[in-house]
Amino acid sequence: MGSVLRIVLVSANILLALFIFQNGFLLKRQEISSKSSCSDAHAQPGQPCWMTQQYKRIILILVDALRYDFLIPIDEQKSKNSNSPEWFYKGQMKQVGKLIKSGKASIGTLLADPPTTTLQRLKALTTGTLPTFIDAGDNFSPDATVNEDNFIYQAAQLGKNVTLLGDDTWLSLFPNQFSKSAAYDSFDINDLNSVDDKIAPKLEEEIKSSDSSSIIIAHFLGVDHCGHKFGPSHPVMADTLRKVRTS
């Protein structure tokens, strides 16, 4: 009788643990499909719906897996010691360090809730929502379209053109919403260079073009793929970061 009771108690504990895990870790969320419109702003006649436009163009450059400490300049002593693990990823983007010291740029940290896979983080950046672990399956879903309000949709509603260069995950999230695109496969971690090599000249060309889009998104993958294959403390990471600096 005692052994049966123990089995029942163990089974009950397992079921309770699974219930707590599912409700605390595998959170579900409800998507709000309604979109903001001009009428929501309650603007006076003749006034713009939203804030007055301050810039003619936005260039959003995403360097996948570019950690905060990759941008921090390494101290003088460690910069001379190539055997230090930090040498391979700190201080390699010297141009960024110069911009920060001159006051023309600043760096900060974004604390990303898991899951930190690309698709979920792009959803968070474009919609302002918090993805959940259950959304991780969307990375392999044939239909991962974002149905919530997002800045890509709002740009289109305002008649703005959006150009995409780089990671093809964006096309899964926002199909038929880019006026121009040059997207490439993002799952080949052995490919450290080809995507970045292709989009760097296209980005320069798009910026200089008289027919340039109002929003340009360039998503570089080399650092992410290098991190997966070699880790941060590797000579290839130093080369990849220096390459991003000059892209």
Side-chain angles (χ1 to χ4, degrees), residues 65 67 70 85 88-89 189 192 222-241:
R67 296 182 348 197
F70 287 6
F88 296 105
Y89 59 85
I189 64 169
L192 306 182
V223 174
D224 179 56
H225 289 183
C226 182
H228 283 297
K229 188 172 183 178
F230 298 106
S233 300
H234 195 279
V236 177
M237 178 60 80
D239 292 339
T240 305
L241 290 171

Side-chain angles (χ1 to χ4, degrees), residues 136 176 187 243:
N176 306 315
F187 281 102
K243 188 175 181 180

